[in-house]
Amino acid sequence: MLFKLLRRKDSTVITIYLILIILFIIPSLLSPVFRSYGNISNILHQAASLGIVSIGQTFVILLSGLDLSVGSVISLTTVLGATLMRDSPLAIFLIVLLCLAVGAGIGFLNGFLVSKVKLSPLIATLGMMALIQGVALQIRPYPGGYIPRSFGEVITGNLCFVPVPAITFVLVIVAAIIILRKTVLGNYIYATGGSEENARLAGINIDRVKIFAYTICGFVAAVAGLVLTGRIRSGDPLVGTSFPLDSITAVIVGGTPFAGGQGGVEGTIAGALIIAMLSNMLNLLNVSSFYQYIVKGLILITAVVIYSLRRK
Amino acid sequence: MISLSHREIKDEAFLQSKRVVEIIQRLGVYFALLLLMIISGILSPPSISPIHLLNVTRQASALGIVGIGQTFVIMTQGIDLSVGANLTLIEILTAGMILGRGEMVLPVIIFCLVVGAFIGLTNGLGVTKLKLSPFVMTLCMMSVLTGVYLLYCGGSPRGKIPDSLRFIGAGRIGNVFPAAIIVWMIVIIIAFVIFRYTTFGRYIYSTGGNPQASHLSGVNVDLAIIIAYVISGFCSALAGVLLAGYIGTGSLTVGSGYDLNSIAAVIMGGTTFSGGRGTVIGTVGGALIITILFSLLTMLGMPHSGKLMAQGLIIIGIVSLYTKRR
C-alpha cells in the first residue's frame, strides 16, 4: 500500500504521513513516558473515536459538503446507550443496532435536506445539530445512566495487546477505503465532488450519491459514539460538542480540500492521529490547555496554507 | 422610434413587476416575524406588550449588530465563524481593561473596536491573499481567539464596568427606550446607506454575484472582500462592548451561539450563501425572529432542550421555504 501511495501523483498523503512520523519520533526520543506502551495505547483510544468520525466527515467533504451534526449524533448515542442498556447480551446487541440505525437515519435526513430540499449543507446540518442536541438533552439533561460492565470491557479492552477501539478504527478505515477506491459508488463520489454538473450530465444520480454519503457519515458518527460510550461508561449529552470542528480539522489537515473531489481517508487518518497526539503531547509537556486552542488553530492554518501553495 | 419607446415601456412594466416580486421576497422574513408574533400573542398575551417587545428588541441588538457584519461577509460568498470568539474576547478585554474607571471608557472602547477590526483584517487577508477557504480561515481564527481570551483572563474573567458604559448596554433613555437599540439602529442605518448609496456597496454586491466579472470590470475584488471582513470584525467588537455594558463584568460564555445564530439570521433574512443577493433589513428581521422565538419559549417555560429542538426545526423550516421559492 505504501508503494502505491508513493507512486501516486499527488504527494499530499506522503507529506502528511512524514509530518505524523516526525511528530511521533521527536517526543519519543525526548520523553520515555510518551513512548511507553500505556501512553501509546492511550493515544489510540483517544484517536479512535475522532478518527472514526473524521472518516465519515471525509465522505461528506469529498462532495464539497460538511456535517456539523456529528457531535450531536455522538452525544445522542451515548445518551441512548446509557438510558436503554440492560445487563443481557441480547439487550446490548439490540441497543447497539438501534443507535446505529438512529445515526444512519439522522444522516439520511441530512442528505435529504441537502439534495432534495437543496439547503446549503452548513444550514441543514446546523439545524440538525441543534435539533439532535435538544433531543439528547431532553432524554438526559445531566451526564449519568448505566452502561453494563461487559459492554464497556469489550469495547475498550485489548485483543492480543491491541486496543479494541484501534481495531474498530481499522475496520472502518478498510471499509471506507474499499468503498472509495474499489467501488463504482466511490467513483461517483469523487466525480460528484469534482463537478456536480459534469457528474449529472454523465448520468450519475447525484442526489442519491449525496444521500448515501451523509447516511454513511451519520452511521459512522454513531459507531464513534458507541466507542466513546464504552470508554466513558455513561451517557453525556454534551460529550460530542468538540467533534464537528475537530473532525473537519482532521479532514482538512489530511489533505482533502473543502472544494471536494480530491483527497481521501488515507490522509484523514493521519490528520486525526496528529490531532490526538498533539493534545497528548502538550498535556505531557504540561502546556496549559489554553495554548492548545491556539496551537490547533495555527496547525490547521499552516497545513492549509502549505496545501494551497502547492496547488498553485 | 415609436416602437422603441413602446419597448422601453414594456421593459419598464416588466421591471416594475419584477420589483414587486422582489419586494415580496424581501419582506418574507417580516411575514414570518408577524406570524411568530401572532402565535406568541395567542400562546402568551403579555409577550406582545410594547414593554416586552422593547425588551426583546434590546436583547436582539447584539445579535443584530453581529448579523449585519455577517451580512457583508456572506454577501461576498464568505462566512465568518470567528464572530462569537471575537465578541467574547472583546467583552472580556473591555471588562478587564476598564476595571471600573470612568475616564478609561472611551480609550478602551476605541482600542477594543480597533482590535476587532484588526481581527477582521487578518481574516480578510487570509481569505484573499492566501486564498484560504473562508470557513477554514475563520475557524482557525475562532480557535486562536478562544486560546487568547482564556490566556488573557486565566480562565476566570474579572472586571467592572463604570456607569456610563452600563447605561449604553443596559440603560433606558427616559426610563423607557433602551439605549442599546439606538446603537443597533445607527449600525443599521450606516449599513443600509453603504449598500444603497455607496460605490463600495455596489462592489460588494457585484463581487458576491460574480467575482470574475467584477474583477474584469475593474473592481478591486480583494479589497472589497477584505473590507467586508473588517466590518464584520468591527461589528462583533461593537456587540462585545455593548454586552460588556449589559453584563457589567467579563464572561467566558457570552459569545457562544453567536456564530451560528448570526449566520442563521442572515440566511433567514434572504441573503444567500452563493453571494451577491440580500439585504440588511432582512437580517434585522432574522435576528428579531431568533430572539423573539427564544423569548417566547422561555416564557412558555420550555427547557433548554426544547428550545434547541425548536431552533433547529425553525432554521431548517424557514430556509427550506426560501429555497423552494427560488
Side-chain angles (χ1 to χ4, degrees):
Chain A
M1 192 174 131
L2 188 67
F3 187 66
K4 219 174 165 184
L5 284 178
L6 283 170
R7 261 196 334 199
R8 266 178 46 194
K9 260 188 195 157
D10 66 328
S11 49
T12 308
V13 176
I14 301 170
T15 320
I16 191 75
Y17 275 94
L18 280 179
I19 294 174
L20 175 65
I21 292 168
I22 293 169
L23 272 181
F24 181 74
I25 289 178
I26 292 176
S28 304
L29 292 177
L30 292 176
S31 149
V33 182
F34 183 82
R35 61 170 184 259
S36 69
Y37 169 77
N39 190 51
I40 290 172
S41 108
N42 220 342
I43 293 177
L44 286 177
H45 275 283
Q46 282 164 7
S49 39
L50 175 62
I52 292 171
V53 185
S54 310
I55 284 174
Q57 192 73 260
T58 312
F59 276 78
V60 179
I61 293 185
L62 276 175
L63 290 171
S64 50
L66 85 168
D67 190 348
L68 293 175
S69 67
V70 286
S72 301
V73 172
I74 290 175
S75 302
L76 181 65
T77 310
T78 68
V79 164
L80 277 181
T83 310
L84 299 173
M85 272 192 191
R86 298 286 174 272
D87 268 324
S88 82
L90 179 68
I92 292 177
F93 178 71
L94 287 177
I95 298 307
V96 167
L97 279 189
L98 174 79
C99 288
L100 295 178
V102 167
I106 293 168
F108 177 83
L109 276 180
N110 280 331
F112 180 80
L113 288 173
V114 168
S115 62
K116 298 293 182 190
V117 190
K118 306 221 178 301
L119 291 187
S120 92
L122 186 86
I123 287 291
T125 58
L126 166 65
M128 194 58 81
M129 172 174 107
L131 181 64
I132 303 301
Q133 181 67 69
V135 173
L137 278 169
Q138 181 69 40
I139 298 175
R140 189 167 281 289
Y142 311 103
Y146 172 72
I147 296 292
R149 221 186 155 70
S150 54
F151 178 77
E153 274 165 6
V154 169
I155 288 278
T156 58
N158 286 326
L159 202 69
C160 313
F161 297 108
V162 184
V164 174
I167 296 175
T168 321
F169 187 22
V170 170
L171 286 178
V172 176
I173 293 169
V174 170
I177 289 182
I178 290 176
I179 291 178
L180 283 177
R181 302 277 178 209
K182 300 286 174 203
T183 67
V184 187
L185 201 68
N187 290 341
Y188 285 180
I189 288 179
Y190 277 97
T192 310
S195 162
E196 271 186 28
E197 193 55 24
N198 288 354
R200 198 178 56 79
L201 291 174
I204 297 174
N205 186 339
I206 57 171
D207 284 0
R208 211 178 280 171
V209 172
K210 281 186 183 170
I211 291 178
F212 174 78
Y214 280 95
T215 310
I216 287 201
C217 188
F219 176 82
V220 163
V223 173
L226 287 170
V227 171
L228 207 59
T229 312
R231 207 173 120 214
I232 62 177
R233 284 199 200 170
S234 74
D236 182 347
L238 294 173
V239 72
T241 317
S242 68
F243 276 87
L245 297 183
D246 278 357
S247 64
I248 292 171
T249 307
V251 175
I252 303 286
V253 168
T256 305
F258 246 127
Q262 42 180 320
V265 289
E266 295 90 346
T268 303
I269 304 161
L273 285 172
I274 287 178
I275 292 176
M277 228 159 65
L278 216 68
S279 300
N280 179 281
M281 222 156 69
L282 294 173
N283 284 337
L284 285 183
L285 290 174
N286 257 336
V287 175
S288 140
S289 67
F290 301 160
Y291 282 107
Q292 295 190 15
Y293 289 100
I294 300 180
V295 171
K296 250 191 217 170
L298 292 181
I299 284 193
L300 177 56
I301 207 135
T302 316
V304 180
V305 168
I306 291 172
Y307 292 144
S308 75
L309 286 178
R310 186 179 281 201
R311 287 201 183 97
K312 263 179 194 163
Chain B
M1 190 68 184
I2 291 168
S3 72
L4 192 72
S5 66
H6 180 65
R7 205 175 140 194
E8 269 174 7
I9 291 167
K10 251 177 88 179
D11 277 359
E12 193 68 21
F14 174 69
L15 281 178
Q16 283 268 304
S17 69
K18 207 177 164 190
R19 212 167 286 153
V20 171
V21 171
E22 224 164 60
I23 287 171
I24 292 176
Q25 278 193 342
R26 199 172 289 167
L27 289 179
V29 66
Y30 284 94
F31 286 126
L33 184 60
L34 195 67
L35 195 70
L36 182 64
M37 277 165 71
I38 293 172
I39 294 173
S40 53
I42 295 168
L43 289 177
S44 154
S47 72
I48 49 168
S49 70
I51 292 175
H52 182 74
L53 284 180
L54 267 183
N55 235 335
V56 172
T57 315
R58 208 259 320 128
Q59 275 174 29
S61 48
L63 177 61
I65 292 172
V66 175
I68 285 173
Q70 190 76 261
T71 312
F72 277 89
V73 170
I74 292 186
M75 207 85 98
T76 64
Q77 301 188 356
I79 192 165
D80 191 346
L81 294 174
S82 67
V83 288
N86 187 341
L87 192 157
T88 311
L89 171 68
I90 297 298
E91 204 269 346
I92 290 173
L93 269 184
T94 311
M97 287 170 72
I98 290 185
L99 291 174
R101 291 167 295 178
E103 73 278 8
M104 288 296 284
V105 169
L106 199 63
V108 167
I109 289 181
I110 292 172
F111 174 76
C112 284
L113 294 180
V114 170
V115 169
F118 182 75
I119 292 167
L121 177 70
T122 316
N123 280 331
L125 287 175
V127 169
T128 53
K129 301 301 174 195
L130 293 177
K131 307 230 174 302
L132 299 179
S133 99
F135 189 96
V136 175
M137 178 64 218
T138 57
L139 178 63
C140 294
M141 186 55 84
M142 173 176 111
S143 193
V144 171
L145 292 181
T146 308
V148 170
Y149 69 66
L150 283 171
L151 277 173
Y152 173 77
C153 65
S156 53
R158 278 167 307 173
K160 191 173 173 299
I161 303 291
D163 289 340
S164 50
L165 183 54
R166 291 228 57 171
F167 177 77
I168 300 175
R172 285 159 189 277
I173 294 168
N175 268 334
V176 183
F177 199 81
I181 300 183
I182 309 259
V183 179
W184 187 18
M185 269 159 48
I186 294 171
V187 175
I188 294 172
I189 292 169
I190 294 175
F192 186 78
V193 169
I194 289 179
F195 273 120
R196 222 10 118 68
Y197 300 110
T198 67
T199 331
F200 168 67
R202 282 170 205 287
Y203 284 178
I204 294 263
Y205 270 112
S206 76
T207 299
N210 189 337
Q212 199 85 37
S214 313
H215 176 69
L216 291 175
S217 358
V219 174
N220 191 337
V221 172
D222 280 3
L223 187 66
I225 293 178
I226 290 175
I227 295 180
Y229 280 95
V230 171
I231 292 178
S232 175
F234 181 87
C235 285
S236 315
L238 185 60
V241 170
L242 214 57
L243 284 174
Y246 179 66
I247 300 175
T249 184
S251 156
L252 285 175
T253 53
V254 62
S256 67
Y258 272 85
D259 312 312
L260 303 178
N261 282 338
S262 68
I263 294 167
V266 173
I267 301 297
M268 277 186 195
T271 306
T272 54
F273 269 127
S274 46
R277 192 187 254 270
T279 57
V280 173
I281 305 301
T283 303
V284 173
L288 283 173
I289 288 189
I290 292 177
T291 317
I292 290 185
L293 181 76
F294 265 87
S295 127
L296 172 69
L297 296 176
T298 308
M299 282 185 103
L300 294 177
M302 195 174 264
H304 183 54
S305 56
K307 283 188 205 167
L308 281 171
M309 285 189 252
Q311 190 193 13
L313 286 176
I314 298 255
I315 290 176
I316 292 177
I318 291 187
V319 181
S320 318
L321 285 179
Y322 263 110
T323 325
K324 274 269 163 79
R325 202 164 50 207
R326 288 234 168 79

